[in-house]
Coordinates of all heavy atoms in Angstrom, one line a residue:
R1 N 0.8 -1.2 0.0 CA 0.0 0.0 0.0 C 0.9 1.2 0.0 O 0.6 2.3 -0.7 CB -0.9 0.0 1.2 CG -1.8 1.2 1.3 CD -2.4 1.3 2.7 NE -3.5 0.3 2.8 CZ -4.8 0.6 2.6 NH1 -5.1 1.7 2.1 NH2 -5.7 -0.4 2.7
K2 N 2.0 1.2 0.7 CA 2.9 2.4 0.8 C 3.4 2.8 -0.5 O 3.4 3.9 -0.9 CB 4.1 2.0 1.8 CG 4.9 3.1 2.2 CD 5.9 2.7 3.3 CE 6.9 3.8 3.7 NZ 7.9 3.5 4.6
D3 N 3.9 1.7 -1.3 CA 4.5 2.0 -2.6 C 3.4 2.5 -3.6 O 3.6 3.3 -4.5 CB 5.1 0.8 -3.1 CG 6.5 0.5 -2.5 OD1 7.0 1.4 -1.9 OD2 6.9 -0.7 -2.5
L4 N 2.2 1.9 -3.4 CA 1.1 2.3 -4.3 C 0.7 3.8 -4.0 O 0.5 4.5 -5.1 CB -0.1 1.4 -4.0 CG -1.2 1.2 -5.0 CD1 -0.7 0.7 -6.3 CD2 -2.4 0.4 -4.5
E5 N 0.7 4.2 -2.8 CA 0.4 5.6 -2.5 C 1.5 6.6 -2.9 O 1.3 7.6 -3.4 CB 0.1 5.8 -1.0 CG -1.3 5.1 -0.6 CD -1.5 5.2 0.9 OE1 -0.6 5.6 1.6 OE2 -2.6 4.8 1.4
K6 N 2.7 6.1 -2.8 CA 3.9 6.9 -3.0 C 4.0 7.3 -4.5 O 4.4 8.4 -4.9 CB 5.2 6.2 -2.6 CG 6.4 7.0 -2.6 CD 7.6 6.3 -2.0 CE 8.1 5.1 -2.7 NZ 9.2 4.5 -2.1
N7 N 3.6 6.3 -5.4 CA 3.8 6.6 -6.9 C 2.4 6.9 -7.5 O 2.3 6.8 -8.7 CB 4.3 5.3 -7.5 CG 5.8 5.0 -7.1 OD1 6.6 6.0 -7.0 ND2 6.1 3.8 -6.7
R8 N 1.5 7.3 -6.7 CA 0.1 7.7 -7.3 C 0.0 9.2 -7.4 O 0.5 9.9 -6.5 CB -1.0 7.1 -6.5 CG -2.3 7.2 -7.1 CD -3.4 6.5 -6.2 NE -3.6 7.2 -5.0 CZ -3.9 6.6 -3.8 NH1 -4.1 5.3 -3.8 NH2 -4.0 7.3 -2.8
L9 N -0.6 9.7 -8.5 CA -0.8 11.2 -8.6 C -1.9 11.7 -7.7 O -2.8 10.9 -7.4 CB -1.2 11.5 -10.1 CG -0.2 11.2 -11.2 CD1 -0.7 11.6 -12.5 CD2 1.2 11.9 -11.0
S10 N -1.7 12.8 -7.2 CA -2.8 13.5 -6.4 C -3.9 14.0 -7.4 O -3.7 14.0 -8.7 CB -2.3 14.7 -5.7 OG -1.8 15.6 -6.5
R11 N -5.0 14.4 -6.9 CA -6.1 14.9 -7.8 C -5.7 16.1 -8.6 O -6.0 16.3 -9.7 CB -7.4 15.2 -6.9 CG -8.1 14.0 -6.4 CD -9.4 14.4 -5.8 NE -10.2 13.2 -5.4 CZ -11.3 13.4 -4.7 NH1 -11.9 14.6 -4.5 NH2 -12.0 12.3 -4.3
E12 N -4.9 17.0 -7.9 CA -4.4 18.2 -8.6 C -3.5 17.8 -9.7 O -3.6 18.5 -10.8 CB -3.7 19.1 -7.6 CG -4.6 19.8 -6.5 CD -5.0 18.8 -5.4 OE1 -4.3 17.6 -5.3 OE2 -6.0 19.1 -4.6
E13 N -2.6 16.8 -9.5 CA -1.7 16.4 -10.6 C -2.4 15.7 -11.7 O -2.1 15.9 -12.9 CB -0.6 15.5 -10.0 CG 0.3 16.2 -9.0 CD 1.2 15.2 -8.3 OE1 0.7 14.1 -7.9 OE2 2.4 15.5 -8.1
M14 N -3.5 15.0 -11.4 CA -4.3 14.3 -12.4 C -4.9 15.3 -13.4 O -5.0 15.0 -14.6 CB -5.4 13.5 -11.8 CG -4.9 12.2 -11.2 SD -6.3 11.2 -10.6 CE -5.5 10.0 -9.5
E15 N -5.3 16.4 -12.9 CA -6.0 17.4 -13.6 C -5.1 18.0 -14.8 O -5.6 18.5 -15.7 CB -6.5 18.6 -12.8 CG -7.7 18.1 -11.9 CD -8.1 19.2 -10.9 OE1 -7.5 20.3 -10.9 OE2 -9.0 18.9 -10.1
K16 N -3.8 17.9 -14.6 CA -2.9 18.4 -15.6 C -2.7 17.4 -16.8 O -2.2 17.8 -17.9 CB -1.5 18.5 -15.0 CG -1.5 19.6 -13.8 CD -0.1 19.7 -13.2 CE -0.1 20.6 -11.9 NZ 1.1 20.5 -11.1
F17 N -3.2 16.2 -16.7 CA -3.1 15.2 -17.7 C -4.4 15.2 -18.5 O -5.5 15.0 -17.9 CB -2.7 13.9 -17.2 CG -1.3 13.7 -16.7 CD1 -1.0 14.1 -15.4 CD2 -0.3 13.2 -17.5 CE1 0.3 14.0 -14.9 CE2 1.0 13.1 -17.0 CZ 1.3 13.5 -15.7
S18 N -4.3 15.2 -19.9 CA -5.5 15.1 -20.7 C -6.3 13.8 -20.6 O -7.5 13.8 -20.8 CB -5.1 15.4 -22.2 OG -4.2 14.4 -22.6
V19 N -5.5 12.8 -20.2 CA -6.2 11.4 -20.1 C -7.2 11.4 -19.0 O -8.1 10.6 -19.0 CB -5.1 10.3 -20.0 CG1 -4.4 10.0 -21.2 CG2 -4.2 10.6 -18.8
F20 N -7.1 12.3 -18.0 CA -8.0 12.3 -16.9 C -9.1 13.3 -17.1 O -10.0 13.5 -16.2 CB -7.2 12.6 -15.6 CG -6.4 11.5 -15.1 CD1 -5.0 11.5 -15.3 CD2 -6.9 10.3 -14.6 CE1 -4.2 10.5 -14.9 CE2 -6.2 9.2 -14.1 CZ -4.8 9.3 -14.3
K21 N -9.1 14.0 -18.2 CA -10.2 15.0 -18.5 C -11.5 14.3 -18.7 O -11.6 13.3 -19.4 CB -9.8 15.8 -19.8 CG -10.6 17.0 -20.0 CD -10.1 17.8 -21.2 CE -11.1 19.1 -21.4 NZ -10.7 19.8 -22.6
N22 N -12.5 14.8 -18.1 CA -13.9 14.2 -18.1 C -13.8 12.7 -17.6 O -14.6 11.9 -18.1 CB -14.4 14.2 -19.5 CG -14.5 15.6 -20.1 OD1 -14.8 16.6 -19.4 ND2 -14.2 15.8 -21.4
Y23 N -12.9 12.5 -16.7 CA -12.8 11.0 -16.1 C -14.2 10.6 -15.4 O -14.7 11.4 -14.6 CB -11.7 11.0 -15.1 CG -11.6 9.7 -14.4 CD1 -11.1 8.5 -14.9 CD2 -12.1 9.7 -13.0 CE1 -11.1 7.3 -14.2 CE2 -12.1 8.4 -12.3 CZ -11.6 7.3 -12.9 OH -11.5 6.1 -12.2
E24 N -14.6 9.5 -15.7 CA -15.8 9.0 -15.0 C -15.4 7.5 -14.6 O -15.0 6.7 -15.5 CB -17.0 8.9 -15.9 CG -17.6 10.3 -16.2 CD -18.3 10.8 -15.0 OE1 -18.7 10.0 -14.1 OE2 -18.5 12.1 -14.9
P25 N -15.7 7.1 -13.4 CA -15.3 5.7 -13.0 C -16.1 4.7 -13.6 O -15.7 3.5 -13.8 CB -15.5 5.7 -11.4 CG -16.4 6.9 -11.2 CD -16.2 7.9 -12.2
G26 N -17.4 5.0 -14.0 CA -18.3 4.1 -14.6 C -19.2 3.3 -13.6 O -19.1 3.6 -12.4
D27 N -20.0 2.3 -14.1 CA -20.8 1.6 -13.1 C -20.1 0.5 -12.5 O -19.4 -0.3 -13.2 CB -22.0 1.1 -13.9 CG -22.9 2.1 -14.5 OD1 -23.0 3.2 -13.9 OD2 -23.4 1.9 -15.6
P28 N -20.2 0.4 -11.1 CA -19.4 -0.6 -10.4 C -19.8 -2.1 -10.8 O -21.0 -2.4 -11.0 CB -19.9 -0.4 -8.9 CG -20.4 1.0 -8.9 CD -21.0 1.3 -10.3
N29 N -18.7 -2.8 -11.1 CA -18.8 -4.3 -11.3 C -17.5 -4.9 -11.0 O -16.6 -4.2 -10.6 CB -19.3 -4.6 -12.8 CG -18.3 -4.1 -13.8 OD1 -17.3 -4.8 -14.1 ND2 -18.5 -2.9 -14.4
C30 N -17.4 -6.2 -11.2 CA -16.2 -6.9 -10.7 C -15.1 -6.9 -11.8 O -14.0 -7.5 -11.6 CB -16.5 -8.4 -10.4 SG -17.1 -9.4 -11.7
R31 N -15.2 -6.1 -12.9 CA -14.2 -6.1 -13.9 C -13.8 -4.7 -14.1 O -14.6 -3.7 -14.1 CB -14.8 -6.6 -15.2 CG -13.8 -7.0 -16.2 CD -14.5 -7.9 -17.3 NE -13.6 -8.2 -18.4 CZ -12.6 -9.2 -18.3 NH1 -12.6 -9.9 -17.1 NH2 -11.9 -9.6 -19.3
I32 N -12.4 -4.4 -14.2 CA -12.0 -3.1 -14.4 C -11.3 -2.9 -15.7 O -10.7 -3.9 -16.2 CB -11.1 -2.6 -13.2 CG1 -9.9 -3.5 -13.0 CG2 -11.9 -2.4 -11.9 CD1 -8.9 -3.0 -11.9
Y33 N -11.2 -1.7 -16.2 CA -10.6 -1.4 -17.5 C -9.5 -0.4 -17.2 O -9.7 0.6 -16.5 CB -11.6 -0.7 -18.4 CG -11.1 0.0 -19.6 CD1 -10.5 -0.7 -20.6 CD2 -11.3 1.4 -19.7 CE1 -10.0 0.0 -21.7 CE2 -10.9 2.1 -20.8 CZ -10.2 1.4 -21.8 OH -9.7 2.0 -23.0
V34 N -8.3 -0.7 -17.7 CA -7.1 0.1 -17.5 C -6.6 0.6 -18.8 O -6.4 -0.1 -19.8 CB -6.0 -0.6 -16.8 CG1 -4.8 0.3 -16.4 CG2 -6.5 -1.3 -15.4
K35 N -6.3 2.0 -18.9 CA -5.8 2.5 -20.2 C -4.6 3.4 -19.9 O -4.3 3.6 -18.7 CB -6.9 3.2 -21.0 CG -7.4 4.5 -20.3 CD -8.5 5.1 -21.2 CE -9.0 6.3 -20.6 NZ -10.0 7.0 -21.5
N36 N -4.0 3.9 -21.0 CA -2.8 4.8 -20.8 C -1.6 4.0 -20.3 O -0.8 4.6 -19.5 CB -3.1 6.0 -20.0 CG -2.0 7.1 -20.3 OD1 -1.7 7.4 -21.4 ND2 -1.5 7.7 -19.2
L37 N -1.5 2.8 -20.7 CA -0.4 1.9 -20.2 C 0.8 2.1 -21.1 O 0.7 2.3 -22.3 CB -0.7 0.4 -20.2 CG -1.9 0.0 -19.2 CD1 -2.3 -1.4 -19.5 CD2 -1.3 0.1 -17.8
A38 N 2.0 2.1 -20.6 CA 3.2 2.3 -21.4 C 3.5 1.0 -22.2 O 3.0 -0.1 -21.9 CB 4.4 2.5 -20.4
K39 N 4.4 1.1 -23.2 CA 4.6 0.0 -24.1 C 5.3 -1.1 -23.4 O 5.2 -2.3 -23.7 CB 5.6 0.5 -25.2 CG 4.9 1.4 -26.1 CD 6.0 1.9 -27.2 CE 5.4 3.0 -28.1 NZ 6.3 3.5 -29.1
Q40 N 6.1 -0.8 -22.4 CA 7.0 -1.8 -21.6 C 6.1 -2.7 -20.7 O 6.5 -3.7 -20.2 CB 8.0 -1.2 -20.8 CG 8.9 -0.2 -21.6 CD 8.5 1.2 -21.4 OE1 7.4 1.6 -21.7 NE2 9.4 2.0 -20.8
V41 N 4.8 -2.2 -20.4 CA 4.0 -3.0 -19.5 C 3.7 -4.4 -19.9 O 3.3 -4.6 -21.1 CB 2.6 -2.2 -19.2 CG1 1.7 -3.0 -18.3 CG2 3.0 -0.9 -18.5
Q42 N 3.9 -5.3 -19.0 CA 3.5 -6.7 -19.3 C 2.5 -7.2 -18.3 O 2.2 -6.5 -17.3 CB 4.8 -7.6 -19.2 CG 5.8 -7.3 -20.2 CD 7.1 -8.0 -20.1 OE1 7.1 -9.2 -19.4 NE2 8.2 -7.6 -20.6
E43 N 2.0 -8.4 -18.5 CA 0.9 -8.9 -17.6 C 1.4 -9.1 -16.2 O 0.7 -8.8 -15.2 CB 0.4 -10.2 -18.1 CG -0.5 -10.1 -19.3 CD -1.2 -11.5 -19.7 OE1 -1.1 -12.4 -18.9 OE2 -1.8 -11.5 -20.9

């Protein structure tokens, strides 16, 4: 949890990125969708 919080953007920082513009979490369900992943990301 510590590392997760340390490397996470704050709300103010998120507003500076266009990918978070008009961000909506969507309707809750057990499946999540992740985007804006770097090319190096693996499973």
Side-chain angles (χ1 to χ4, degrees):
R1 180 192 286 268
K2 191 177 179 181
D3 288 337
L4 201 59
E5 288 177 352
K6 189 170 69 177
N7 294 315
R8 191 176 66 209
L9 297 179
S10 64
R11 284 187 180 179
E12 291 78 14
E13 288 171 326
M14 284 184 196
E15 288 172 3
K16 296 173 186 176
F17 289 84
S18 58
V19 286
F20 290 102
K21 194 177 180 182
N22 303 322
Y23 171 81
E24 288 289 336
D27 298 324
N29 63 84
C30 63
R31 200 165 176 78
I32 56 174
Y33 165 65
V34 186
K35 65 179 182 179
N36 199 45
L37 294 170
K39 292 176 183 177
Q40 306 98 303
V41 174
Q42 296 178 20
E43 284 187 13

